[in-house]
Amino acid sequence: MRVVVSIGGSVLAPDLDARRVEDHADVIEHLAREGVELGTVVGGGGVARDYITAARDLGANEVQLDQIGIDVTRINARLLIAALGPKVDPKVAHDYEGAGDAIRRGDISVMGGVMPGQTTDAVAAALAEYVDADLLIYATSADGVFDADPNVDDDATRYEELSASKLVDVIAPMSRDAGASAPVDLLAAKLIERSRMRTIVLDGTDPESIKQAALHGEHSGTDIIPEGTDDEPSYWAQR
Ligand code: UTP
């Protein structure tokens, strides 16, 4: 079984806390010991936003800002690599081929961003498609996909389950509103729809929730079910 885990920067490194990174690394290593082939993608979080805000004030253009964001995601990826044991590829993968090669060799691969104009949400969806993953997990700071921004709207309701095309419909208007925070970006939603990738969006603050979701499909977030099937990854039934 092959799983891609996207760990938001605000989940892995809201501040520089070695213990938190270690806790996430422990879960990734546990999954690897359980026989899960793993690609991980790490976001930039608040540190990326701080750098981007400062560089914008200094007159950087949008591509330059994205490049700064990518650099921060790769620094966070290095943090996770530092915490992972000998089964990790020590290089931050800069493209899908590199990550795919590492996973096929049996190493855990860690990526950050790859190119301007997107976020690591899209990187994780593309990597999952490229390596034919059985499952894609977004460990975010929100407990799933909501019909409105739960930080702003008290009536926001979480979807327990939705189809990939419905995910695109839900995310599209959120992505148009400046400042609104969609749980995954629109490109990621479209890649999930295209690849028919079984996906879970969950609150990854406690890394234990990533373990339960990967191994058993148990979580309190949102299941995104490919169109035309409600099949679960077959390895869940074998456990
Ligand atoms: P993130 O993936 O962390 O963005 O990338 P995010 O979703 O806003 O943050 P969290 O971690 O989920 O809270 C940080 C920034 O890096 C650039 C973008 O500017 C993005 O906002 N980036 C990242 C790219 O340009 N391309 C990539 O492939 C990845």
Side-chain angles (χ1 to χ4, degrees):
M1 56 204 179
R2 190 169 281 176
V3 179
V4 169
V5 181
S6 167
I7 308 177
S10 43
V11 169
L12 185 74
D15 44 33
L16 264 186
D17 179 352
R19 182 62 199 268
R20 185 182 295 107
V21 179
E22 190 71 58
D23 288 349
H24 278 86
D26 286 349
V27 161
I28 300 290
E29 286 177 317
H30 177 89
L31 293 175
R33 280 195 302 277
E34 290 283 316
V36 180
E37 296 176 353
L38 279 154
T40 57
V41 181
V42 176
V47 177
R49 274 190 292 277
D50 288 349
Y51 268 89
I52 286 170
T53 302
R56 184 174 278 125
D57 290 346
L58 294 168
N61 63 41
E62 291 300 314
V63 172
Q64 289 173 318
L65 298 179
D66 283 343
Q67 287 167 329
I68 288 171
I70 292 168
D71 285 346
V72 176
T73 65
R74 288 177 175 168
I75 288 175
N76 282 343
R78 285 196 191 280
L79 263 188
L80 184 60
I81 287 171
L84 286 166
K87 291 288 291 167
V88 69
D89 181 352
K91 294 191 297 297
V92 177
H94 284 197
D95 56 36
Y96 303 113
E97 287 89 345
D101 286 351
I103 294 168
R104 281 182 207 97
R105 276 199 310 271
D107 283 348
I108 301 164
S109 172
V110 185
M111 294 186 82
V114 293
M115 65 173 182
Q118 59 178 40
T119 74
T120 51
D121 296 340
V123 176
L127 178 62
E129 182 172 15
Y130 179 68
V131 300
D132 269 329
D134 299 289
L135 179 67
L136 168 61
I137 297 176
Y138 285 102
T140 71
S141 47
D143 193 12
V145 181
F146 289 72
D147 59 1
D149 185 346
N151 298 315
V152 176
D153 187 342
D154 288 343
D155 295 329
T157 308
R158 179 167 50 81
Y159 295 98
E160 277 186 23
E161 166 180 320
L162 77 176
S163 68
S165 61
K166 176 76 178 165
L167 175 71
V168 171
D169 292 346
V170 170
I171 296 294
M174 293 183 185
S175 309
R176 278 195 296 269
D177 299 343
S181 54
V184 296
D185 71 26
L186 185 57
L187 179 56
K190 289 191 166 169
L191 289 171
I192 290 166
E193 182 183 35
R194 164 178 100 170
S195 62
R196 298 160 57 83
M197 182 61 55
R198 177 76 182 220
T199 303
I200 296 171
V201 181
L202 52 74
D203 181 349
T205 314
D206 177 3
E208 193 64 25
S209 59
I210 300 173
K211 189 201 287 184
Q212 293 307 320
L215 293 179
H216 308 293
E218 289 163 10
H219 61 90
S220 59
T222 299
D223 277 309
I224 295 144
I225 314 271
E227 249 85 12
T229 168
D230 53 10
D231 288 351
E232 299 196 326
S234 55
Y235 69 82
W236 284 344
Q238 293 153 16
R239 293 187 158 268

